[in-house]
Amino acid sequence: MFFIAVLQKHVLLTTLVDKKIYSVNLANGEFTQTHIFPEVTGRLRDVFVTAKGNIAVLTDGKKLSYC
């Protein structure tokens, strides 16, 4: 739950080419972005928050990554 509290009013985005997850801050009106979870590797297809508050990342690989 630590990440959820820190990521309030943020949108999580993945990039296919850069293979990164970005957190975009929507709270300050400037839409600043930060590269987060550098340990997640591969072509990132999607990112979502589960009902339990975990952050899950869909990649091209066979393994589901939780942050």
Side-chain angles (χ1 to χ4, degrees), residues 17-50:
V17 176
D18 292 340
K19 301 177 182 178
K20 294 180 181 177
I21 301 172
Y22 288 98
S23 168
V24 180
N25 185 350
L26 302 177
N28 63 10
E30 296 178 15
F31 304 109
T32 55
Q33 68 184 26
T34 304
H35 174 216
I36 59 173
F37 307 122
E39 66 277 5
V40 177
T41 60
R43 292 195 72 188
L44 308 176
R45 296 292 181 177
D46 199 6
V47 60
F48 61 96
V49 179
T50 68

Side-chain angles (χ1 to χ4, degrees), residues 46-61:
D46 199 6
V47 60
F48 61 96
V49 179
T50 68
K52 292 186 177 183
N54 295 313
I55 298 172
V57 180
L58 178 64
T59 68
D60 279 354

